[in-house]
Amino acid sequence: LDLGFNADVLSPGRLAVRSLVAMENDEILVAGSFAADFSPGVSSGPKVVRLRFDGALETSFDCSALPATAWIETLADDQDGRVFAAGVAWTNNPLRFNRDGSLDPAFHPMVLAGQIPGFIRAMALQPDGRLLIAGGFDRVNGAQRQFLARLNSDGTTDEGFFARVND
């Protein structure tokens, strides 16, 4: 047990952690639902926060652009410090955030299940910057992709990758 690690922002009983990523710089990304009354400096609702090595909230990371209805299931980060967040209940999924937590408007894939937004349960960033996504969907950016797809670093569908998961 590391007695020097004190993540007070993650108060028991008033949050649900859904995903976390240990970053190369010893910081930690945490996604979940937080209650403002128990988490000083963090507003209520679905959030992604970044903690310093000692568990303190990194206040320079402000991910308030996350849709209020978002349910974060998975996180990833890249070598440039950008954060990918994916889950359930919004149209442009996954989202990419800049190092400061601001939304990256250049990255906006659309994952659908029929006519409604699909969901992403898992994702993995490949060394070449492409992003594998898995979940409940049948189309990604208009291309037929069922359950598993790969996105290029700009958010477009990798047309050379077509996984047959449900044959």
Side-chain angles (χ1 to χ4, degrees), residues 111-132:
V111 176
L112 295 172
Q115 299 299 314
I116 61 171
F119 60 86
I120 297 172
R121 293 274 189 236
M123 64 182 166
L125 191 63
Q126 296 182 295
D128 64 3
R130 292 184 291 183
L131 186 67
L132 290 166

Side-chain angles (χ1 to χ4, degrees), residues 52-70:
R52 292 191 287 257
F53 71 95
D54 60 356
L57 182 66
E58 177 54 66
T59 57
S60 67
F61 184 79
D62 178 11
C63 210
S64 58
L66 190 64
T69 58

Side-chain angles (χ1 to χ4, degrees), residues 123-146:
M123 64 182 166
L125 191 63
Q126 296 182 295
D128 64 3
R130 292 184 291 183
L131 186 67
L132 290 166
I133 58 173
F137 53 83
D138 58 17
R139 283 180 294 144
V140 177
N141 297 322
Q144 277 203 284
R145 296 291 187 276
Q146 194 167 35

